[in-house]
Amino acid sequence: MNSSKRSEQFPTADHDHQTCVTHALQEAEDFCLQQGLRLTELRHRVLELIWANHQPVGAYDLLEQLTHEGRKAAPPTIYRSLDFLLENGLIHRITSLNAYVGCNHPGLNHAAQFFICEACGQAAELDDAKIESVIARDAKRLGFTVEKRTVEVAGICAHCKLRPNP
Amino acid sequence: MNSSKRSEQFPTADHDHQTCVTHALQEAEDFCLQQGLRLTELRHRVLELIWANHQPVGAYDLLEQLTHEGRKAAPPTIYRSLDFLLENGLIHRITSLNAYVGCNHPGLNHAAQFFICEACGQAAELDDAKIESVIARDAKRLGFTVEKRTVEVAGICAHCKLRPNP
DNA sequence: TGCTATATTGTTATATTATAACGTAACATC
DNA sequence: GATGTTACGTTATAATATAACAATATAGCA
């Protein structure tokens, strides 16, 4: 049985990607309805594209995908949608890639960690409380109030290690 | 007694900054001599500027500082020096700021963590083995081979919390 | 319903960060 | 001192992101 979520671990080649996109969109719609947020057609489409890309994707890639389907779009078009999706926890920004990826746990205020494969470009989203607590401990020792955490680990995923030549 | 190192914790206002710059430069010179690396005048000056700025500083800021002192410089001038300094562990790049900061432990191959104050702009460099080991454990569970870690925590430092209005 | 305030999107221009490509100068090694 | 290599100069451009203002759509209310 395949998970309908993308990135709690690295997805296998045979996972049902259409289902995971559909599921994520459904969750987002439900979440926005609950919260009284306007998931407009544009925002919905941007979120769908992000999930459909199936890995962290750049703003200008998304922009090109939007214009290729006939929509009038300029950089602010995409950045404003990204801002909305970020603010409401529907996507994450991967700082080290300048790229955006769907969030696996929309609604939960969580600090995610990312493991990013340099071979296939996919990213696994973790939410390891242990990392959080170690950071919190260090912060306490420094007298530092944490606002935002960025934990991104680059390397090679298990699938790519086995693959002959990706 | 004031530490001659900048960022094992957030520096106090009264710390001897000139000494910490001088010390860092001396360490870099020694290290490059040992390793047979050419710390050219340009690279030396860039490293000095980075330390003198006393907090993460952008490439174009450095560029401006160079040109203001009469040197001919264009973006590649600065980026090439930054590349040299990064490759040889003399500075770090703070991904979330697109900025560069002197390394406290040149020569040691270490994965640093940064605590970045959003009020004063200063960054503390930690090297917490515990964070490393937790990341390593997660990586092992995923079958992931780690190449590079990025751990950056933004927030407010102890000094700025006490300050009335920075 | 129609009015009005607000939120969203369109549009143009520009800021910020970084690299490509190619030529010249310095240096090092023989 | 000829030659290969490394570093630097120079021009152009790529990639990412935001400012500023106009037009449109939506929501809430009279």
Side-chain angles (χ1 to χ4, degrees):
Chain A
M1 173 199 146
N2 294 325
S3 169
S4 64
K5 290 197 171 184
R6 171 188 41 80
S7 56
E8 289 186 351
Q9 51 280 322
F10 288 90
T12 54
D14 68 334
H15 91 294
D16 184 348
H17 185 52
Q18 182 52 52
T19 299
C20 90
V21 174
T22 306
H23 177 260
L25 268 288
Q26 186 61 54
E27 268 198 346
E29 287 162 20
D30 294 351
F31 174 72
C32 289
L33 201 62
Q34 274 178 16
Q35 303 290 312
L37 299 170
R38 290 177 53 195
L39 188 60
T40 62
E41 195 209 333
L42 175 65
R43 291 164 175 174
H44 189 278
R45 184 66 187 133
V46 170
L47 181 58
E48 192 171 18
L49 284 175
I50 289 172
W51 277 96
N53 274 274
H54 201 250
Q55 57 181 247
V57 55
Y60 280 73
D61 278 354
L62 291 168
L63 182 56
E64 199 188 340
Q65 292 174 37
L66 274 185
T67 54
H68 269 46
E69 63 192 35
R71 191 185 278 269
K72 292 266 181 97
T77 310
I78 196 79
Y79 280 104
R80 283 191 287 228
S81 285
L82 291 173
D83 284 347
F84 170 86
L85 296 169
L86 284 169
E87 273 166 21
N88 295 295
L90 296 168
I91 62 173
H92 293 283
R93 179 171 192 273
I94 312 258
T95 304
S96 57
L97 300 176
N98 294 330
Y100 305 83
V101 69
C103 173
N104 270 333
H105 312 288
L108 279 70
N109 179 17
H110 64 137
Q113 302 92 40
F114 290 95
F115 287 74
I116 304 154
C117 180
E118 290 168 327
C120 65
Q122 303 217 24
E125 175 184 346
L126 255 61
D127 200 351
D128 185 342
K130 189 71 185 169
I131 292 187
E132 289 314 297
S133 72
V134 175
I135 288 177
R137 194 192 60 179
D138 286 334
K140 186 167 185 182
R141 184 164 57 74
L142 290 170
F144 187 92
T145 302
V146 173
E147 296 285 344
K148 206 187 81 182
R149 282 134 303 189
T150 301
V151 179
E152 297 170 10
V153 182
I156 306 293
C157 78
H159 305 141
C160 287
K161 274 194 274 191
L162 299 176
R163 242 186 291 268
N165 226 346
Chain B
M1 173 198 143
N2 293 324
S3 169
S4 64
K5 291 196 171 185
R6 170 188 41 79
S7 54
E8 288 184 353
Q9 51 279 322
F10 288 90
T12 54
D14 68 335
H15 91 295
D16 183 348
H17 185 52
Q18 182 52 51
T19 299
C20 91
V21 173
T22 306
H23 177 262
L25 267 287
Q26 186 62 55
E27 268 198 345
E29 287 162 19
D30 294 350
F31 174 72
C32 288
L33 201 63
Q34 272 177 17
Q35 303 290 312
L37 299 170
R38 291 176 54 193
L39 188 61
T40 62
E41 196 210 331
L42 175 64
R43 290 164 177 175
H44 189 279
R45 184 65 186 135
V46 171
L47 182 58
E48 194 171 16
L49 285 175
I50 289 172
W51 276 97
N53 272 275
H54 202 249
Q55 58 182 247
V57 56
Y60 279 74
D61 279 353
L62 291 169
L63 183 55
E64 198 187 340
Q65 293 175 35
L66 275 184
T67 54
H68 269 46
E69 63 192 34
R71 190 185 278 269
K72 293 264 181 97
T77 309
I78 196 79
Y79 280 104
R80 283 191 286 229
S81 285
L82 292 173
D83 285 347
F84 170 86
L85 297 169
L86 284 169
E87 273 167 22
N88 295 294
L90 296 168
I91 61 172
H92 292 283
R93 178 171 192 273
I94 312 260
T95 304
S96 57
L97 300 176
N98 293 330
Y100 305 83
V101 71
C103 172
N104 269 332
H105 312 289
L108 278 70
N109 179 16
H110 64 139
Q113 301 93 39
F114 290 94
F115 287 74
I116 304 154
C117 179
E118 290 169 327
C120 65
Q122 302 216 28
E125 175 183 345
L126 256 61
D127 198 353
D128 184 343
K130 189 74 186 165
I131 292 186
E132 289 313 297
S133 72
V134 176
I135 288 177
R137 194 192 60 180
D138 286 334
K140 185 167 186 180
R141 184 164 58 73
L142 290 170
F144 187 92
T145 301
V146 174
E147 297 284 345
K148 207 187 82 181
R149 282 135 300 189
T150 302
V151 178
E152 297 169 12
V153 183
I156 307 293
C157 78
H159 305 139
C160 287
K161 273 193 273 192
L162 298 176
R163 243 186 291 266
N165 225 344

